[in-house]
Amino acid sequence: MSPSVPLQEMIRAIRSARTQCEERGVIQRECAAIRAQFRQADNGGRSHNLAKLLYVHMLGYPAHFGQMECVRMIASPRYSEKRVGYLGAMMLLDEKQDASLLITNSIKNDLSHSNQYVQSLALCTLACMGSAEMCRDLAPEIDRLLRASNSYIKKKAALCAVHIVRKVHELGELFAPAARTLLTEKNHGVLHGAVVLIIELCERNPETLERFRKTVPDLVQIMKGLVLSGYSPEHDVAGISDPFLQVRILRLLRILGHNNEGASDAMNDLLAQVATNTDSTKTVGNAVLYETVLTVLDIKSESGLRVLAVNILGRFLLNNDRNIRYIAMTSLQKIVGTDHNAVQRHRGTIVDCLKDQDASVKRRALELSLALVSATNVRSMMKELLIFLSSCPQELKSHAASGIFNAAERYAPSQRWHIDTILHVLTTAGGDVRDETVPNLIQLITNASELHCYTVHKLYRALLLDISTQSLVQVACWCIGEYGDLLLRGECQETEPVQVTEDDVLDALETVLQSHMSSPATRGFALTATMKLSTRITDNVDRIRSVVSIYGSCIDVELQQRAVEYNALFKKYDHMRAAVLERMPVIEKNSPGHTNGESMGEVKENQASKKPTEPKLLPQPANQVCDLLGLLGGSEETLQPSPSTALGLLTNTPSTAGGNLLDLLGDLEPEPLTPAPLVPVYDKDGVALTLSCEKQSDTAMTVTLIASNSTDSDISSFTLQAAVPKSVKLNMNAPSGDFLPARGAAKVTQMVVLNYQNKVNLKMKIRISYSSRGSTFQDTVQIDTFPGL
Amino acid sequence: MIKSILIFNNHGKPRLIRFYQYFAEDMQQQIIRETFHLVSKRDDNVCNFLEGGSLIGGSDHKLIYRHYATLYFVFCVDSSESELGILDLIQVFVETLDKCFENVCELDLIFHMDKVHYILQEVVMGGMVLETNMNDIVAQVELQTRMEKSEGGLSAAPARAVSAVKNMNLPEMPRNINIGDINIKVPSLSPF
């Protein structure tokens, strides 16, 4: 190969630079020289300059000033300059640059050049960076080349046509007939290009797919020729005749035979032949076999063939070569949905692959294992998966954890096992679990009422060992707060008894409160738990009081607020303390995304369903809204925060007062449309809330709240809570959603029904809470006047 | 579809980069760094497939690589390509380079980057596999190189001089060369 001397010298100079700084200096000098030369008129060394520029570009330095030079070089009559010019165009230009339009004409001329290599350059560039307009312009040229040229050009034109079809879908029709005729070519390169083109056409357009089904016999013929023919030295790769073409044709057969009986029948023989005749000792043979297996499993093949295919995959799984095992697992993943039992047979091998050193193999094995968990094998699989979790690489941990949770939820044989499994995951990989784990686990625990004692003992022990895993600590704090009395009682059937004194428990919670490792949310959990214990323990109430009052001046606003409220609970509302802090009722599970559009017509107001909100809202609503009402002088009976369901305190709300309420709700229109005026009541930080009212009767009114988000980031977990004075009855219907996309793309609407005796006292306080950009916000607004009243 | 082809050495220095999907320059360099980071961590006896990094395409894309002595050949492909097929394609490409450069080594790739691009253009075009027959590829590359050489340019000046001499028609030169007083009779020479 003749060296390009100036390029070589520059490369040598760059390589001899010893530091990054020196290299930058050399390159800057060279680039300046190149720029100067570009500005000059034509000199013999233009191609060298552009080659130098491309080298510099590869190293990462800016090279955009070469774009016009590329255009000029492409237009030059000399082959060497054209060559570098086209290479430069492919590296530096793309359809977004204006300069790319300028080369359209050159490409057009070069496509009809007498020299086939110039034609091939043009085809290559068009296939790499042709924009939609260029493709439309030049498509007829490509079609002409597909029909009448030598095989070298034909194969390039075929791939260029694929690119055109990808850019401009409608042009697929133009190329279909030419593609059909190309299948009769003998040259393997052209055949390969034709098959790729047909695959692309069939994938885009189902009618074309129908038309090309007729070519299945021809394709089968070609394959037979390849598989059964004797040794042909020019196409041979390790004993297999043109494996690349075989693989391509098999893929096309797969697309043509999918969901079609006739085509699948025509292929059955051939596939059986390929599967049995191909030599699987080399990688190439395995490539063909693998493609055959995928095809067999994807078309409507006969059952014997399917069994053969799965057996081949099983053999692959036991192969020593890790590559083969990897692809075997990839293909098993694809069929685990349909041929579940067949894959189950190989469960042992797959689980063994979990222990392989290779990270890619581990990942595949993990996905497949998670897909194979079923009700019968859940205990043993879970054991294996938990062992895997403790030693798996970091990037797989959260995926593994969430997979285990899903599997546990679906197939848990007993509640105790379920709780144990989740606790195990939290202790091994607690830092990598998702946020919903904490409320889900809490909900699970409250549901398993007979296991409360066992759970709280286990969690307490885990807390003593390690307080760094936030999710575990949060759950532990919550449980200790709730079931502290069970913990202190000491005996528990399911686990060894341990004597826990009140001081120990309070010490543990205080450690969490004071530790640097605890996040603000965790400390909130701990503070509330401490507070709850004040009703469950007998001796150390003063200690609790002092803790609570210390945090009344904490810097963290959330903690401070809580502490102040709890203080108030001790001082002014001590008579209510026991009622407020009693056991939480069982939380009803609601699957996320269930927005309850249908609850508009529901009568029982307590059924406003729970949404997956931030965990700290769940144990807190009684306490927080209590304070909301403290300002309005109301009692807890009239509050109804929208996310929570049956708070035990609300059982005496007017669902029993039946009669007129039912009628009123029956009258409600489902649409929140109001002819009444929309009044903005809150606008801060890009979140705006507007209100409109509609009187239903003299004593009832529907208030519609519409929230919108004009910031640049999305808002999630948007919730509204409302409180009204004692004389007014409030019923909140489910909101339309809790997600506000950025820039006002959608709004959230919520309807509230108010029943009152006299209008004088009608006020409403609304608390807005949401999370945006990873942090939570809360705000309150008071509405004193209602429009339309 | 092949999204990109990267060749870099054991220290991460790029020897050839080819993207079949548009990325801005700094993005390209970031992709190279990330790919090198992922690939260099791998042992030599693990499988040659990597789930791709997040920059170049995410979950649908795989990195298929082979490590030869000091060079990593990395192909980033999506799910429409057969993984084992691409592995064989890398082998074909390397063997072609070997035939074209005679016992190719890293220095050949460094100093003849443009030639390597031209060879690659015969194997993969627009992200799709074009030709896998080694002999065909080598033959085409040879023909193109010959075309380029025949056009000339500065580097071909010696070749031009030789052909110019060959084309000189010596018998046309005058028989009497007047160099002052001396009258030299030039004998008639037979034509070359």
Side-chain angles (χ1 to χ4, degrees), chain A residues 596-617:
Chain A
N596 309 93
E598 62 271 15
S599 72
M600 288 302 249
E602 267 186 342
V603 175
K604 294 188 287 295
E605 59 205 39
N606 288 349
Q607 265 20 301
S609 309
K610 175 176 90 104
K611 292 191 314 285
T613 51
E614 300 102 21
K616 56 184 197 301
L617 274 186

Side-chain angles (χ1 to χ4, degrees), chain A residues 58-97:
Chain A
M58 177 179 80
L59 292 180
Y61 296 90
H64 43 271
F65 53 88
Q67 287 172 6
M68 283 314 293
E69 188 66 14
C70 290
V71 175
R72 250 174 274 143
M73 302 269 283
I74 289 176
S76 142
R78 298 176 56 181
Y79 178 68
S80 54
E81 294 186 354
K82 265 196 206 286
R83 215 181 187 192
V84 182
Y86 274 120
L87 183 61
M90 283 188 268
M91 306 276 286
L92 299 175
L93 291 177
D94 82 300
E95 51 189 45
K96 293 190 192 66
Q97 322 278 7

Side-chain angles (χ1 to χ4, degrees), chain A residues 747-784:
Chain A
K747 295 190 179 349
V748 163
T749 313
Q750 188 157 17
M751 291 191 24
V752 177
V753 179
L754 300 172
N755 286 282
Y756 47 86
Q757 257 59 53
N758 56 335
K759 296 181 213 164
V760 173
N761 222 1
L762 196 59
K763 300 192 215 318
M764 188 157 78
K765 192 158 188 183
I766 298 184
R767 168 179 266 157
I768 302 162
S769 51
Y770 58 91
S771 30
S772 165
R773 277 189 240 105
S775 45
T776 48
F777 300 85
Q778 271 184 338
D779 207 348
T780 37
V781 61
Q782 178 148 347
I783 302 167
D784 293 319

Side-chain angles (χ1 to χ4, degrees), chain A residues 509-520:
Chain A
L509 287 174
E510 268 201 65
T511 323
V512 173
L513 261 178
Q514 290 162 355
S515 160
H516 294 298
M517 290 190 275
S518 305
S519 72

Side-chain angles (χ1 to χ4, degrees), chain A residues 1-3 7-8 11-12 15 23 54-55 57-60 77-80 83-84 87 90-91 94 96-97 115 117 121 123-124 127-128 152 155-156 159-160 162 166 189 192 196 234-235 242 244 247-248 251 283-284 286-287 290-291 322-323 326-327 357-360 363-364, chain B residues 1 13-18 20 22 25 28-29 42-43 45-51 62 79-85 87-89 92 100-101 107 110-115 117-119 121-122 125-126 128-133 140-141 143-145 147-149 151-154:
Chain A
M1 293 250 166
S2 69
L7 171 64
Q8 298 230 314
I11 296 178
R12 234 173 255 127
R15 279 167 63 80
E23 180 182 298
L54 291 177
Y55 184 83
H57 169 78
M58 177 179 80
L59 292 180
R78 298 176 56 181
Y79 178 68
S80 54
R83 215 181 187 192
V84 182
L87 183 61
M90 283 188 268
M91 306 276 286
D94 82 300
K96 293 190 192 66
Q97 322 278 7
N115 186 331
Y117 297 111
L121 282 176
L123 283 168
C124 190
C128 279
Y152 178 68
K155 75 181 180 203
K156 295 207 171 188
L159 288 188
C160 199
V162 176
R166 283 194 187 139
H192 187 272
V196 176
E234 48 187 51
H235 298 298
D242 207 344
F244 296 97
V247 164
R248 280 291 164 201
R251 194 172 275 257
T283 317
V284 275
N286 283 326
Y290 174 57
E291 202 67 31
R322 282 202 174 86
N323 288 337
Y326 176 92
I327 57 159
Q357 298 165 339
D358 183 343
S360 301
R363 183 190 288 258
R364 288 275 137 236
Chain B
M1 184 180 155
K13 283 205 89 72
R15 296 299 174 214
L16 180 121
I17 60 173
R18 194 62 194 261
Y20 293 103
Y22 175 69
E25 263 110 30
Q28 289 185 359
Q29 292 297 317
R42 310 271 288 173
D43 250 349
N45 55 352
V46 300
C47 72
N48 298 91
F49 310 116
L50 258 179
E51 316 283 290
K62 286 198 180 68
S79 54
S80 71
E81 296 286 339
S82 155
E83 292 99 339
L84 292 178
L87 216 47
D88 289 326
L89 186 69
V92 166
C100 290
F101 281 105
L107 282 178
I110 296 173
F111 284 102
H112 300 278
M113 183 199 88
D114 47 346
K115 303 292 185 289
H117 268 289
Y118 298 143
I119 298 174
Q121 260 168 233
E122 293 299 317
M125 184 172 111
M128 296 166 278
V129 178
L130 175 63
E131 177 64 65
T132 52
N133 186 322
Q140 297 295 347
V141 171
L143 285 171
Q144 293 182 40
T145 322
M147 250 197 70
E148 194 170 338
K149 255 190 256 186
E151 263 191 0
L154 284 176

